Amino acid sequence: MKFIHYDSTDILTGDLIADAIADYAAVLGANIRTDTIAVPTVGEDGAVQRTTMLIGPASEIVVREAPDDELEPEDAAFIRRLRDAAATCGGQQPVDADGRPRFVGAAEGDQAR
């Protein structure tokens, strides 16, 4: 599980989902584009819900570890949509200082790091 700190709010979601959102935000920023996305998140009652986020060049999000939870949402289709949208938003790529693969969890057999 990971928290996405966004606009003074902590949003709880799965590891791969949080990483994919950071990947997508970086690509949008590199191409000076924005998007709204409905993120699979875990509410205060533990139920999976959707939280809408506006992300783009001005987004300041922080992704950090959260306590593990057996109810961690997994949504490969959501990660695939982000990956596919990133591929169409422009030719600029973000700087890749850490060299980690982007959009892990979008393909069959992708595993958490």
Side-chain angles (χ1 to χ4, degrees), residues 38-98:
V39 181
T41 60
V42 177
E44 290 182 14
D45 62 356
V48 175
Q49 57 191 31
R50 295 282 173 166
T51 301
T52 301
M53 295 175 63
L54 169 65
I55 58 173
S59 295
E60 295 182 3
I61 64 174
V62 175
V63 176
R64 62 184 171 85
E65 297 293 326
D68 282 338
D69 188 328
E70 64 277 356
L71 301 175
E72 180 170 349
E74 296 180 9
D75 194 332
F78 173 77
I79 296 170
R80 278 192 297 276
R81 284 193 304 275
L82 294 185
R83 179 201 61 202
D84 294 347
T88 65
C89 79
Q92 299 298 316
Q93 291 298 310
V95 175
D96 190 10
D98 65 4

Side-chain angles (χ1 to χ4, degrees), residues 8 16 37 56 60 66 80 104 106:
S8 303
L16 298 179
I37 55 174
E60 295 182 3
R80 278 192 297 276
V104 172

